[in-house]
Amino acid sequence: MLTQSGFVRWAREHLVVLVVHNELGHEERDGLDAYGRPARLCTLYPGLSCRQHLDAAVDVDNAREDGLVQVPFVELCPNTWFVLPTGRVEAVPEEEQFVAGKVEAQGRALQKGLGAALGRAEFERLDAALRRGDEALDQDRPGEALAAWAGCEKVLAPPHAALLALVEERLAAAEEAVGYAFEDLAEPGPRDPRSLEERIRAAEGLYAATATAVYGRLLPVRERIATWLAAQGRKTPEPGRK
Ligand SMILES: [Zn+2]
């Protein structure tokens, strides 16, 4: 374990440390878990039960749950990895794992590629904006979703790589949802009760609802909507304007 006080200070600000070990069978003693409850704790990894470090090992090896990152399995004990918020993983070289200064230097270099570290308050505002948008998209309100996600710009602009990855994932989901809705208007089924005029109005509605750019990105589907509307003799405002 790296216990140098400067390293520990840096690590507490910049890292979430996850210890995994894929075996049970260490000696366990009575102690208190992270919630202050009496528990049998592993004597090798302070504060954890053997079951916890085993479960964590299963999680990183398999990454079956949504949003988990798979960490490559290597025959080396210990082995140490940085898991970036973008989902990328990078190994700490074998001999450097034991040198606090080397681990910190690697962490600082990675942080540079990610942009400035965020404080907790900013993180919570971003998280709330992303969730509000997700909820709106789930309820088929893409315009509200885009407006909520665009709210991230008030917290952090330009975005760093991790946030951009989260935003782009969401824009792809919105693109798909709006794309389906548009196809339904442009190529209605034989029993579709709507008149052409009604479908044109709905397409204009989709076009207007998706006028909000998020970090400068507009949904590509807008071009298809504009082309189709033009073919129906309708003009659309410039992309990005309402
Ligand atoms: Zn153990």
Side-chain angles (χ1 to χ4, degrees), residues 61-116:
D61 284 345
N62 300 292
R64 264 188 232 116
E65 303 276 337
D66 247 12
L68 286 184
V69 173
Q70 189 164 11
V71 176
F73 181 83
V74 292
E75 286 286 353
L76 174 68
C77 186
N79 64 85
T80 309
W81 300 80
F82 281 100
V83 178
L84 275 52
T86 54
R88 189 158 77 84
V89 291
E90 187 176 300
V92 177
E94 181 177 356
E95 64 287 359
E96 293 184 5
Q97 308 176 79
F98 311 104
V99 188
K102 296 269 189 194
V103 176
E104 182 174 336
Q106 188 176 353
R108 286 186 185 278
L110 287 170
Q111 182 73 58
K112 269 189 195 146
L114 293 169

Side-chain angles (χ1 to χ4, degrees), residues 18-183:
L18 175 67
V19 175
V20 313
H21 187 124
N22 63 355
E23 284 169 352
L24 298 170
H26 305 127
E27 198 189 328
E28 287 188 300
R29 286 206 198 106
D30 286 327
L32 296 177
D33 69 12
Y35 303 99
R37 295 173 308 213
R40 295 286 287 170
L41 297 179
C42 176
T43 47
L44 192 56
Y45 303 109
L48 294 177
S49 68
C50 289
R51 187 76 232 174
Q52 287 172 320
H53 65 62
L54 175 75
D55 285 347
V58 173
D59 285 345
V60 301
D61 284 345
N62 300 292
R64 264 188 232 116
E65 303 276 337
D66 247 12
L68 286 184
V69 173
Q70 189 164 11
V71 176
F73 181 83
V74 292
E75 286 286 353
L76 174 68
C77 186
N79 64 85
T80 309
W81 300 80
F82 281 100
V83 178
L84 275 52
T86 54
R88 189 158 77 84
V89 291
E90 187 176 300
V92 177
E94 181 177 356
E95 64 287 359
E96 293 184 5
Q97 308 176 79
F98 311 104
V99 188
K102 296 269 189 194
V103 176
E104 182 174 336
Q106 188 176 353
R108 286 186 185 278
L110 287 170
Q111 182 73 58
K112 269 189 195 146
L114 293 169
L118 276 188
R120 188 178 186 89
E122 285 97 2
F123 167 78
E124 281 171 0
R125 285 170 64 204
L126 288 174
D127 191 47
L130 293 175
R131 281 173 197 274
R132 263 201 315 281
D134 295 349
E135 221 166 272
L137 189 66
D138 273 351
Q139 294 164 7
D140 290 327
R141 297 197 304 270
E144 251 176 71
L146 293 172
W149 297 329
C152 293
E153 294 177 38
K154 290 193 198 109
V155 185
L156 185 68
H160 48 40
L163 177 58
L164 202 54
L166 291 176
V167 164
E168 281 178 346
E169 202 175 279
R170 284 164 168 82
L171 291 179
E175 171 76 9
E176 192 177 310
V178 174
Y180 282 136
F182 168 61
E183 276 157 32

